[in-house]
Amino acid sequence: MSGQQPPRQRRPFRDDESSQGSASHSPREIVPGSAGSDSEHTNAGGAGYERQAYRSSRMPYMETLRFSWIAAGALFVIALALRFYKINHPDQVVFDEVHFGKFAAYYILREYYFDVHPPFAKLLFGLVGWFVGFDGKFDFANIGDSYSIHQVPFVGMRAFPAFLGSATVPIVFWIMKESGYPTAIAAFSAALILFDNAHVAQTRLILLDAALVFFMSLSLLAYIKFRKLRYHEFSPAWWGWLFATGTFLACTLGCKMVGLFTFLTVGIAVLVDLWQLLDVRKGLTIEQFYRHFIARAIGLIVWPAIVYLSFFWAHFKVLKFSGTGDSFMSPAFQETLAGNELLLNSQEIRYYDTITLKHKDTKVYLHSHEETYPLRYEDGRISSQGQQVTGYPHNDTNNFWQIIPTKALPATGRGRIVRHKDTIQLLHAKTQSYLLTHDVASPLMPTNQEFTTWYPDEENSRYADTLFTVDVLEANEGEPWKSKSGHFRLIHVPTKVCLWTHAKALPDWAYKQQEINGNKNPQDRTATWFVEDIISDETGEDQRGRTTKIEEKKVKPRNFFKKFWELQSLMLAHNAGLTASHPYASGPINWPFLITGISFWTENDKKQQVYFIGNVASWWACSLSLAVILGVMTTDVIARRRAVNPIPDDIRNRLLNNAGFFVIAWACHYFPFFLMNRQLFIHHYLPAHVASALVAGSVMNFIVTEAIEFPVSYASATAPARRYPRTHTDIGSKAIAFLLGYATLLFGLFLYIAPLTYGTPG
């Protein structure tokens, strides 16, 4: 018909044309892609949907490798400018710099500390602090403490996370490019991070999240590069990217324990990959499949474990002196630290010594006084009306207990030393009554036994109830019990309950002191006590060399893996125990919608504030994209049940294999927080936000174009023959104009929120 345009014809992409639109690529190199499956080599379906087999000639230079590097470089420069702008303000300690700045100081001073996070990022902060001249003497005690007055080179220390945060932006760009998306789409995803106020605020301070997000992004990029080489298996490049993925995964975990979520992301992708390789239609023998399995196990499990352990090896090597973290560790661990009090003052305990016993966790002394338990408690239960035994936090003569033997002793010599598994009595020095527990419920916990004391009578009627076994932790049979270092459990011989306490205070009749009771779980970690002081020996005199400071002993060696496992277990336990309330804590359900933020720092006199909050245009676009991708895929699944294919197979496969990978990354870094009872903040969402920015780019590409880069892997002679021509996307000038407009909106909203991001008046 006249006036109608002739139908557009497909033109196969010639083998001599570059996959990036540049002659610099070999004909065998295919456009970078992601974890796509071989199903992308099948024919596309979908009625009325025309595959585009060529790239528009309007802006072909945008897809050249040179332009991509220019774009990535420009994004990096802008990111540097936004993150380094006024990085010297405020010149005071901000938010969690009180912790992580302090940890850097400990590395410089080489003093042992304890923290719930792995040491890698903190080691880097310590190294940077040493490099810029920090002497470690500033203690980062309080938010608002001045750096300038104390001459702390804080700008150099803040520059490190600012650089990592800036580098994350081009990494996001390259993740999208390597996944086969056009430059404009890759820049769109990067811009969502580039102009996000939350990322800028978090990455220009001495905090761990910049390193966490940086290595998390590198892990995803490395795995995508590895998957692109699936037709070059066991080649040097294949091995290189496999081990690079493992290295970056270990670095991510080495920053924070939430790095496990990145392991989970890659682990799910690897399991899908191995499941596909197991398919007999792939043509692999079972021996070849085992080779793939073992290679991935070595590269993504064994190698990351070695790298992760190396961080702790360096941590222990650097922190060789006694410090603030000693008390968290076992005596055997503490004795590996130079200058530790256990090395200075630990003494063997002998029978008839008068001692004070202290609870390891709550730091209260075992205490007793003449007052008795009331006849009836508030809940109606009856007590024994015996002498009260409580936990008391201060030095007092009512804390003194004498160790009484239950066996015959030699007159002199080492036979009078108390040893592991010895049975003893404890005599309260002031009231001359013996420690006792019996089958009477404790005041606050009806399931636990009451502790009291017994005044001996002629019949010794309660003698058996005063017998306790000294169970020294990690001790060998017959090993001496020592003050300071001899952590122990005191186990009642007849009933097998152990001496235990908890933080809840008793009523006024016990002067609000802490309850002591009998725990029916004798292996409870919290039932650990130690001897704080040896007050006197059986003559009542203090023998020099036993209870006063003596010459420092040599540190004791300990197996690295024992030290690692002890620290790792404590990190997990204390991390789970961070349940205290906080005015800026928030739940995961709020994070994608940016409902709340965090006040990092305020200066009331100058009306300045650093407030952590994201860019609404970035966060809501990412959240909307997640809803769109899930809605599209759900609709497609339902339609296919009715034999309707609304999305062609190749487009659908790309959404599943690439955008699906990004959705998995988002889900793995988001949903586990719903299972946590610990204190949570919106900055925990930053890794998931990066993943959602990748999803947003995938969804934008799906909306603005009806074609994909095809195929996505590097070809080889062993790759299956393609049944469809090589194709490229063309998003068109209108889409590019829209993306530029949205980037302008992102920048405008960034500037609007910037006074809160930088702490400047506004």
Side-chain angles (χ1 to χ4, degrees):
M1 294 170 57
S2 62
Q4 287 187 336
Q5 295 293 330
R8 189 164 59 182
Q9 300 296 320
R10 288 203 204 117
R11 177 179 64 84
F13 199 78
R14 300 196 312 271
D15 286 341
D16 59 349
E17 291 181 72
S18 167
S19 63
Q20 290 277 20
S22 169
S24 61
H25 290 269
S26 71
R28 302 194 65 82
E29 184 177 338
I30 308 304
V31 177
S34 68
S37 69
D38 291 333
S39 60
E40 291 185 348
H41 289 267
T42 62
N43 197 4
Y49 197 105
E50 184 179 7
R51 283 291 305 273
Q52 188 173 346
Y54 63 91
R55 171 176 288 125
S56 169
S57 61
R58 285 171 288 187
M59 288 178 284
Y61 60 88
M62 288 185 61
E63 304 310 320
T64 63
L65 183 62
R66 179 180 179 183
F67 186 87
S68 296
W69 278 108
I70 292 173
L75 290 166
F76 182 49
V77 170
I78 298 171
L80 287 171
L82 295 179
R83 284 151 180 79
F84 277 84
Y85 174 70
K86 290 192 175 182
I87 198 172
N88 62 336
H89 178 77
D91 64 342
Q92 299 175 8
V93 178
V94 177
F95 194 53
D96 277 351
E97 288 185 334
V98 295
H99 302 302
F100 304 117
K102 186 182 300 181
F103 298 151
Y106 289 146
Y107 281 116
I108 293 170
L109 298 174
R110 306 192 70 179
E111 295 178 356
Y112 187 80
Y113 72 90
F114 174 78
D115 181 44
V116 298
H117 300 300
F120 178 54
K122 294 172 293 185
L123 277 165
L124 295 178
F125 274 122
L127 180 62
V128 170
W130 170 82
F131 182 78
V132 299
F134 180 41
D135 59 9
K137 295 180 180 178
F138 182 70
D139 59 3
F140 297 85
N142 302 294
I143 295 176
D145 288 353
S146 174
Y147 289 131
S148 300
I149 293 175
H150 296 88
Q151 298 181 333
V152 179
F154 70 101
V155 172
M157 297 179 71
R158 285 178 177 174
F160 172 64
F163 177 83
L164 295 183
S166 302
T168 301
V169 174
I171 291 173
V172 169
F173 173 86
W174 282 114
I175 288 174
M176 298 301 290
K177 284 296 295 181
E178 293 293 337
S179 299
Y181 293 100
T183 300
I185 296 295
F188 170 73
S189 288
L192 294 173
I193 308 301
L194 172 65
F195 296 124
D196 182 63
N197 300 77
H199 281 274
V200 173
Q202 192 77 7
T203 59
R204 61 198 305 275
L205 300 171
I206 307 171
L207 305 174
L208 303 183
D209 299 85
L212 171 71
V213 174
F214 173 77
F215 287 111
M216 170 251 190
S217 302
L218 278 178
S219 300
L220 300 183
L221 176 61
Y223 182 70
I224 289 170
K225 293 286 291 183
F226 165 73
R227 282 291 290 136
K228 285 176 54 184
L229 291 162
R230 64 185 183 274
Y231 299 127
H232 295 264
E233 61 268 28
F234 307 111
S235 66
W238 187 89
W239 281 109
W241 283 112
L242 176 63
F243 276 84
T245 304
T247 301
F248 295 140
L249 285 171
C251 291
T252 308
L253 182 58
C255 295
K256 280 189 172 184
M257 291 307 299
V258 294
L260 286 171
F261 302 157
T262 312
F263 265 97
L264 179 61
T265 300
V266 174
I268 291 173
V270 169
L271 289 176
V272 172
D273 177 26
L274 289 173
W275 182 253
Q276 293 174 345
L277 291 176
L278 189 60
D279 191 338
V280 69
R281 290 172 294 181
K282 296 293 183 182
L284 297 181
T285 65
I286 196 65
E287 289 78 12
Q288 290 173 320
F289 172 79
Y290 286 151
R291 286 186 64 197
H292 279 276
F293 178 85
I294 293 171
R296 286 159 175 78
I298 293 173
L300 300 177
I301 298 176
V302 177
W303 174 245
I306 293 172
V307 175
Y308 183 69
L309 288 171
S310 72
F311 302 148
F312 286 86
W313 181 87
H315 178 75
F316 295 143
K317 283 293 183 182
V318 173
L319 303 179
K320 59 184 292 188
F321 298 112
S322 175
T324 59
D326 293 15
S327 61
F328 291 91
M329 314 310 296
S330 69
F333 191 109
Q334 293 183 50
E335 289 180 326
T336 67
L337 302 170
N340 182 268
E341 186 182 14
L342 271 60
L343 290 173
L344 295 173
N345 298 329
S346 179
Q347 304 293 327
E348 292 179 344
I349 299 169
R350 301 174 187 175
Y351 284 105
Y352 296 108
D353 282 347
T354 299
I355 60 175
T356 59
L357 295 85
K358 200 169 190 178
H359 187 240
K360 178 178 180 292
D361 290 345
T362 62
K363 306 301 188 232
V364 295
Y365 292 96
L366 182 64
H367 176 93
S368 186
H369 43 238
E370 292 182 350
E371 285 75 7
T372 61
Y373 293 110
L375 174 62
R376 190 179 300 273
Y377 298 129
E378 292 181 358
D379 60 2
R381 291 183 296 111
I382 303 297
S383 79
S384 68
Q385 288 190 284
Q387 182 172 302
Q388 295 175 16
V389 175
T390 61
Y392 188 60
H394 308 294
N395 284 320
D396 189 88
T397 55
N398 280 324
N399 302 337
F400 296 171
W401 300 83
Q402 189 177 35
I403 304 172
I404 307 300
T406 60
K407 61 182 179 181
L409 299 177
T412 60
R414 296 190 57 79
R416 300 180 70 84
I417 294 173
V418 186
R419 300 181 183 276
H420 173 54
K421 294 297 184 181
D422 275 7
T423 299
I424 65 169
Q425 291 177 297
L426 286 177
L427 177 67
H428 188 241
K430 195 164 185 178
T431 62
Q432 291 297 295
S433 57
Y434 289 91
L435 184 70
L436 172 147
T437 185
H438 51 181
D439 191 17
V440 175
S442 70
L444 300 181
M445 302 182 68
T447 58
N448 288 16
Q449 288 187 185
E450 175 193 86
F451 262 80
T452 182
T453 64
W454 169 68
Y455 291 87
D457 51 35
E458 293 182 359
E459 292 81 14
N460 278 339
S461 58
R462 305 296 301 276
Y463 174 79
D465 289 332
T466 66
L467 301 181
F468 294 88
T469 299
V470 178
D471 184 19
V472 182
L473 304 186
E474 299 186 18
N476 298 318
E477 192 70 29
E479 188 171 324
W481 182 25
K482 295 182 179 181
S483 64
K484 308 289 186 184
S485 64
H487 288 195
F488 69 97
R489 299 186 186 99
L490 195 65
I491 300 176
H492 191 229
V493 173
T495 64
K496 305 305 180 184
V497 301
C498 60
L499 181 70
W500 185 71
T501 186
H502 56 96
K504 189 173 181 180
L506 290 164
D508 290 338
W509 50 258
Y511 308 106
K512 300 287 187 181
Q513 294 176 12
Q514 202 162 296
E515 184 190 35
I516 300 291
N517 64 40
N519 189 333
K520 294 181 179 179
N521 177 14
Q523 301 302 316
D524 192 330
R525 183 190 61 82
T526 62
T528 302
W529 298 74
F530 63 94
V531 173
E532 172 76 356
D533 289 306
I534 301 175
I535 305 302
S536 62
D537 66 4
E538 61 184 305
T539 66
E541 296 181 356
D542 178 7
Q543 293 186 352
R544 185 169 181 81
R546 287 189 60 215
T547 62
T548 60
K549 291 187 177 181
I550 59 176
E551 293 183 5
E552 183 176 351
K553 304 171 186 175
K554 292 183 179 180
V555 297
K556 298 180 180 180
R558 196 176 191 219
N559 181 275
F560 164 77
F561 291 100
K562 289 183 178 180
K563 293 175 68 176
F564 164 77
W565 183 247
E566 179 179 340
L567 178 55
Q568 186 72 68
S569 300
L570 284 171
M571 285 164 48
L572 294 173
H574 282 266
N575 200 335
L578 296 175
T579 57
S581 61
H582 192 282
Y584 292 105
S586 58
I589 192 65
N590 302 312
W591 299 344
F593 310 106
L594 206 63
I595 291 175
T596 186
I598 308 172
S599 180
F600 277 5
W601 171 87
T602 56
E603 181 65 67
N604 293 328
D605 294 338
K606 298 180 181 179
K607 296 183 179 180
Q608 296 178 340
Q609 182 180 27
V610 175
Y611 191 82
F612 176 94
I613 193 72
N615 189 321
V616 174
S618 171
W619 288 55
W620 286 10
C622 293
S623 299
L624 180 61
S625 297
L626 289 164
V628 169
I629 190 70
L630 293 176
V632 167
M633 295 312 301
T634 301
T635 302
D636 179 76
V637 169
I638 294 173
R640 286 175 180 256
R641 298 297 291 174
R642 304 304 302 166
V644 177
N645 297 342
I647 304 176
D649 289 342
D650 53 348
I651 304 292
R652 182 175 185 268
N653 290 334
R654 181 60 55 83
L655 285 174
L656 286 173
N657 295 311
N658 180 247
F661 177 63
F662 298 151
V663 170
I664 289 172
W666 170 79
C668 289
H669 288 86
Y670 177 55
F671 287 115
F673 286 106
F674 285 92
L675 305 177
M676 297 183 186
N677 293 321
R678 59 152 293 174
Q679 203 176 73
L680 296 173
F681 299 90
I682 190 173
H683 64 73
H684 289 122
Y685 188 70
L686 291 180
H689 179 252
V690 171
S692 67
L694 301 173
V695 175
S698 302
V699 170
M700 182 61 67
N701 185 79
F702 176 77
I703 293 172
V704 302
T705 182
E706 295 182 343
I708 61 169
E709 297 286 345
F710 179 86
V712 294
S713 297
Y714 295 111
S716 74
T718 60
R722 292 197 304 270
R723 298 172 58 188
Y724 205 85
R726 183 182 302 168
T727 59
H728 297 271
T729 57
D730 174 24
I731 66 173
S733 56
K734 291 182 179 179
I736 292 176
F738 171 79
L739 295 174
L740 288 173
Y742 202 87
T744 303
L745 174 63
L746 285 169
F747 184 60
L749 286 174
F750 173 84
L751 293 178
Y752 180 76
I753 306 173
L756 292 175
T757 304
Y758 297 112
T760 54

